[in-house]
Amino acid sequence: MSQTTTEPPETPRPVYRQTPLRRAWAFLRNTWRGLTSMRTALVLLFLLALAALPGALLPQWDLNAQKTEEYIVQHGWWGELLDRLQFFDVYSSPWFSAIYLLLMVSLIGCLVPRTGEYFRAMRAGPVLTPRNLARLPHHTEAEVEADPDTVLGEVRRRLRGWRVVERTEADGVRTISAERGYLRETGNLLFHFGMLGLIATFALGAMYSYEGQVIVHADGHEFCNSGVFAYDSFDPGLQVDGTQLSPFCVKVNDFEAEYTDAGQPISYEADVQYQSGEDLTTGTWRDHHLEVNEPLRTAGDRVYLLGHGYAPTFTVTWPDGETRTQTVQWRPTDLTTMLSQGATKFDPPGITDSAERRKNQLAVTGLFAPTAAYHGSILSSSFPELTDPAVAVDIMRGELGTDSGRSQSIFEIDQRMVDAGRLERVARENLRVGESITLDDGTQISFDGVRPWVSLQVSHDPTQGWMLGFAIVMFAGLGASLAVKRRRFWARVSPAGDSGDPDLRRTVVELGGLARTDQAGYGEEFTALSRDILDRTKDRKAH
């Protein structure tokens, strides 16, 4: 008689439904793990370098607004698109800042757990001796006549400088575990902490640093770092309001430029004097020879010589005999020949009625050539050095717009006034030094000479020393991580057996080695270590 058995029905497994809160937590956890992985950090570092390329290859608004504007005009819609995407203002763009901040978060998330693991590994000591040393890449075995204590003493002597731990196994066999090259991981951490420090210091520098450019005539004129108003352009950090600048003064006495026969600049040099600290109260001036890329360092700031140009001098003599003389810098439009353009503006004297005064303002605008070259009646320049100066000027009369409340470039007249018919050209002439032009109302304008000017940049960065320190830490860590080899060494010492004759007692010595990284050279080191240990314990029999 057969019996049939029925199995109890399977109990259905409970179905766990994820709540929205659990799904959100899982999403955040996985996102954090992905962001703080080393692979993500490397990708972000590559993206940061890629994002910085436009800042190096394209003109930037904060460095050279004129060149940036010319680039946009030359490239049409493409230049306008790049401008809208902030490719001409890279380092303050949202996309660059996003990569920058994500890289900082990723590095911190990578380094914190790695640092904890590093200190735990340092305290743990070398790992246990493997049971089968013969499976290691480097291995040797021998019987020696020396007793285990002698052998272990020799191993400890030869491994001086290694991290060594001696242990006794359950069967009485004694082992030594040794490790060396842990400085490699130290260097790796130092490199990444140095990189993180550089990134953080760069961010702090953007908050507390400032840069300013100013043009100073090279004939004894002075510049004092007393406020934002003293600069022609000023780029402050986020926490700089311009009221607490480092106090110092610079006086430019002379400027010299040396060129090749083809007009290429060889050197720019300026003889300056400066005051800072107690010199400001005593009136003491200190001499300094300023050159390109060799800044003056004073009061925690750096003063760079950027470039130079020319400032023509014009004198206006009105019919009543009143005169006005001005020397105003003109802007180079061709750096090869230093052909320059600009505008020197005059108010008529003796007119109290503001409306009448605005109608009779004068502007001398046009081109200046340090070495005149004419193509018909058109003035050009053939060499950047001041050998045969000349100007081609338009004399504009009318309302200049300087009282309108709108900002106006020192190098140009307000074209809106010309378009509105409120500023008209009344004369055009080419002049050399000493020549003059007389207007229809008897006003005389003379070209009296030229003075050189220099462009100075003042840079203040309180984090500069920290950046140097982090850079040194970074390169020191990189050198240690590349030069140091991580390797391990084990020794197992056990008696070969007791024959009853003390003279016939032998000891089995088994040695093994492993390099933590695939670097050549540890095989030779392991062989030298093994040979030295076994040779000193006599009568080695290798297997």
Side-chain angles (χ1 to χ4, degrees):
M1 182 176 179
S2 61
Q3 292 182 347
T4 59
T5 59
T6 58
E7 296 181 355
E10 295 184 359
T11 303
R13 296 180 179 178
V15 177
Y16 294 98
R17 298 182 179 274
Q18 280 194 333
T19 63
L21 183 60
R22 286 179 177 273
R23 286 196 296 270
W25 172 250
F27 173 76
L28 292 175
R29 182 186 59 215
N30 294 333
T31 301
W32 174 254
R33 288 176 179 174
L35 180 61
T36 57
S37 67
M38 185 55 66
R39 178 179 297 180
T40 303
L42 291 175
V43 170
L44 289 172
L45 186 61
F46 172 75
L47 289 178
L48 186 69
L50 193 64
L53 283 178
L57 300 178
L58 298 176
Q60 300 293 295
W61 282 114
D62 58 344
L63 297 179
N64 195 326
Q66 178 189 1
K67 190 174 181 179
T68 304
E69 187 174 356
E70 292 174 356
Y71 185 93
I72 295 173
V73 172
Q74 291 174 1
H75 291 80
W77 69 270
W78 174 246
E80 293 176 0
L81 176 62
L82 292 179
D83 188 31
R84 285 196 294 270
L85 296 176
Q86 290 190 276
F87 274 70
F88 305 114
D89 197 12
V90 169
Y91 303 112
S92 59
S93 62
W95 46 270
F96 186 86
S97 301
I99 298 173
Y100 191 89
L101 292 174
L102 285 175
L103 179 59
M104 282 193 65
V105 173
S106 181
L107 282 176
I108 294 173
C110 288
L111 289 175
V112 170
R114 283 186 62 185
T115 303
E117 293 175 3
Y118 170 78
F119 283 110
R120 285 194 295 270
M122 288 288 289
R123 296 177 60 185
V127 298
L128 295 172
T129 303
R131 290 194 174 276
N132 192 350
L133 292 177
R135 293 183 178 179
L136 296 177
H138 308 288
H139 170 259
T140 186
E141 185 177 342
E143 288 189 7
V144 297
E145 293 182 348
D147 60 87
D149 289 334
T150 302
V151 175
L152 292 172
E154 187 60 34
V155 173
R156 285 192 297 267
R157 182 199 66 81
R158 189 60 182 82
L159 295 178
R160 188 175 293 115
W162 292 57
R163 297 173 63 207
V164 177
V165 174
E166 185 174 341
R167 299 181 177 95
T168 302
E169 297 181 351
D171 55 359
V173 176
R174 297 164 68 182
T175 64
I176 284 183
S177 301
E179 189 172 29
R180 195 169 195 178
Y182 215 76
L183 193 62
R184 179 186 182 88
E185 181 64 16
T186 306
N188 199 355
L189 287 174
L190 284 177
F191 171 77
H192 287 91
F193 272 112
M195 181 185 298
L196 179 62
L198 277 178
I199 295 174
T201 304
F202 183 81
L204 289 174
M207 296 178 64
Y208 293 98
S209 62
Y210 61 81
E211 280 188 351
Q213 291 79 36
V214 61
I215 289 176
V216 183
H217 291 187
D219 57 357
H221 275 67
E222 300 178 16
F223 159 75
C224 288
N225 192 39
S226 53
V228 177
F229 62 87
Y231 288 93
D232 297 322
S233 63
F234 189 77
D235 183 21
L238 298 176
Q239 299 296 321
V240 177
D241 58 6
T243 60
Q244 295 181 342
L245 306 184
S246 306
F248 66 88
C249 292
V250 175
K251 180 192 297 184
V252 183
N253 296 321
D254 191 18
F255 172 80
E256 290 185 4
E258 185 178 355
Y259 302 93
T260 65
D261 294 337
Q264 297 296 322
I266 298 175
S267 65
Y268 293 156
E269 301 178 1
D271 291 324
V272 303
Q273 294 177 303
Y274 69 96
Q275 294 177 333
S276 61
E278 295 181 357
D279 295 340
L280 292 170
T281 58
T282 61
T284 303
W285 289 95
R286 301 184 184 275
D287 296 329
H288 185 80
H289 191 69
L290 191 62
E291 299 182 30
V292 176
N293 295 327
E294 295 184 11
L296 164 67
R297 300 177 185 272
T298 182
D301 289 7
R302 305 182 307 281
V303 182
Y304 292 91
L305 175 61
L306 295 184
H308 79 106
Y310 298 104
T313 301
F314 295 98
T315 298
V316 178
T317 304
W318 278 269
D320 61 359
E322 290 279 355
T323 62
R324 294 288 186 275
T325 300
Q326 287 196 71
T327 303
V328 178
Q329 58 268 21
W330 285 22
R331 179 175 56 196
T333 57
D334 186 350
L335 296 179
T336 305
T337 63
M338 293 302 291
L339 183 69
S340 306
Q341 70 177 12
T344 305
K345 305 167 187 178
F346 295 88
D347 271 341
I351 300 179
T352 57
D353 183 22
S354 59
E356 185 67 21
R357 178 178 57 81
R358 286 196 299 268
K359 293 180 182 179
N360 291 278
Q361 292 175 319
L362 290 175
V364 182
T365 182
L367 296 175
F368 167 79
T371 301
Y374 291 95
H375 303 282
S377 61
I378 299 176
L379 176 67
S380 183
S381 179
S382 61
F383 199 72
E385 195 170 7
L386 195 65
T387 56
D388 184 20
V391 292
V393 295
D394 287 338
I395 309 301
M396 311 295 293
R397 184 167 59 196
E399 186 175 352
L400 295 177
T402 54
D403 300 335
S404 63
R406 294 189 298 264
S407 62
Q408 190 175 118
S409 171
I410 190 176
F411 301 111
E412 301 171 348
I413 58 174
D414 192 342
Q415 188 61 36
R416 290 173 295 188
M417 295 297 175
V418 178
D419 297 339
R422 298 160 71 178
L423 184 63
E424 299 179 349
R425 185 178 68 194
V426 294
R428 169 177 285 183
E429 193 67 57
N430 293 340
L431 302 174
R432 294 183 182 272
V433 176
E435 297 179 346
S436 61
I437 182 175
T438 303
L439 305 183
D440 53 6
D441 62 352
T443 301
Q444 187 180 62
I445 301 173
S446 61
F447 175 36
D448 297 336
V450 186
R451 296 178 186 175
W453 55 260
V454 298
S455 176
L456 302 179
Q457 175 175 294
V458 177
S459 299
H460 176 81
D461 187 358
T463 64
Q464 190 178 31
W466 287 99
M467 291 192 71
L468 176 61
F470 283 122
I472 293 174
V473 170
M474 183 174 166
F475 282 105
L478 180 62
S481 64
L482 294 177
V484 177
K485 294 179 291 185
R486 184 89 178 273
R487 59 259 195 223
R488 288 171 174 173
F489 187 90
W490 292 279
R492 175 176 282 113
V493 179
S494 58
D498 191 356
S499 63
D501 186 351
D503 295 332
L504 297 179
R505 290 178 181 174
R506 307 183 71 81
T507 300
V508 177
V509 181
E510 191 177 4
L511 306 176
L514 175 67
R516 290 292 304 276
T517 54
D518 296 331
Q519 291 188 2
Y522 185 52
E524 291 80 357
E525 182 182 7
F526 176 80
T527 301
L529 280 171
S530 303
R531 183 183 297 115
D532 190 20
I533 292 171
L534 297 176
D535 284 350
R536 286 179 175 271
T537 53
K538 306 296 175 71
D539 195 21
R540 177 174 64 89
K541 296 179 182 179
H543 295 270

